[in-house]
């Protein structure tokens, strides 16, 4: 769906400028203030980019379903990344991309996240950290969705292991890896 294997996580204006000049289409805005989003989304849309927002990492934005409704209705974002099932449900109901994000720190967190995912039926999940790439097939089989990996990807070898495991894309804030597409 994304048409790219690398999805940049953009957290400052320098990275935004690099992303806007790239051939990549999808980018994730995070670590900005709510007051900045309108202008940032406008810049991305004017450059024919698709806007994904990490709703829990926008300062001043409520990371619940009401914040998601604001992002979708007022800013017309293309998708939202969240660890909150209610946010993903809003995305599903309103026809935008909802990426259910979860952290795997142990077998209990994996099982809890999978239980939520089975009920939620997301189209996409993002798994962190990316070094859990050996779990991609298990997650795909249980949730019947596409898997993205993110977090702690430092080099192209690590990115390639993610792709070889079956991940459709990686998310990374490292601009040096954005060229791997």
């Amino acid at each position: 769906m994304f048409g790219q294997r690398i999805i940049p996580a953009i957290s400052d204006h320098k990275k935004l400028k690099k992303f806007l000049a790239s051939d990549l289409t999808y980018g994730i805005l995070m670590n900005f203030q709510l007051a900045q989003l309108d202008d940032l989304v406008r810049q991305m849309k004017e450059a024919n980019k698709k806007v994904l927002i990490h709703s829990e990492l926008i300062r001043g934005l409520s990371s619940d379903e009401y914040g998601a409704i604001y992002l979708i209705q007022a800013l017309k974002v293309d998708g939202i990344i969240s660890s909150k099932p209610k946010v993903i449900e809003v995305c599903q109901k309103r026809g935008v991309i909802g990426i259910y994000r979860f952290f795997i720190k142990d077998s209990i967190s994996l099982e809890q996240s999978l239980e939520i995912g089975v009920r939620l039926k997301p189209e996409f999940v993002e798994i962190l950290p990316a070094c859990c790439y050996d779990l991609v097939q298990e997650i795909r089989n249980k949730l019947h969705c596409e898997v993205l990996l993110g977090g702690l990807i430092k080099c192209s070898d690590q990115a390639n292991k993610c792709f070889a495991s079956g991940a459709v894309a990686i998310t990374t804030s490292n601009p040096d890896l954005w060229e791997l597409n």
Side-chain angles (χ1 to χ4, degrees), residues 7 10 15 24 56 71 73 80-81 89 98 107 144 164:
I7 302 177
I10 304 156
K15 288 180 182 175
L24 298 169
E56 292 156 38
L71 292 172
Q73 286 184 344
I80 300 173
I81 299 171
E89 288 170 356
S107 58
H144 308 288

Side-chain angles (χ1 to χ4, degrees), residues 66 74 87 157-158 169:
Y66 302 105
V87 171
D157 287 343
Q158 290 172 322

Side-chain angles (χ1 to χ4, degrees), residues 25-120:
T25 302
Y26 285 87
I28 303 164
L29 292 176
M30 55 188 267
N31 295 334
F32 287 101
Q33 297 174 31
L34 178 59
Q36 297 173 294
L37 282 187
D38 189 44
D39 183 54
L40 297 170
V41 170
R42 182 188 52 75
Q43 287 181 58
M44 288 178 70
K45 294 283 188 178
E46 286 176 357
N48 294 314
K49 304 293 185 180
K50 299 287 186 179
V51 182
L52 303 173
I53 302 280
H54 191 308
S55 64
E56 292 156 38
L57 294 178
I58 298 297
R59 294 184 296 276
L61 176 70
S62 175
S63 62
D64 60 12
E65 62 267 33
Y66 302 105
I69 291 168
Y70 170 77
L71 292 172
I72 295 165
Q73 286 184 344
L75 298 183
K76 309 284 191 238
V77 301
D78 299 289
I80 300 173
I81 299 171
S82 178
S83 64
K84 299 188 176 185
K86 291 269 187 203
V87 171
I88 303 306
E89 288 170 356
V90 167
C91 292
Q92 291 168 331
K93 287 177 186 170
R94 295 183 181 249
V96 301
I97 298 167
I99 302 173
Y100 174 49
R101 180 184 224 209
F102 59 90
F103 299 87
I104 301 175
K105 58 185 178 219
D106 56 27
S107 58
I108 294 171
S109 65
L110 173 61
E111 284 307 312
Q112 289 172 339
S113 296
L114 288 175
E115 286 174 17
I116 293 168
V118 166
R119 287 191 308 269
L120 190 58

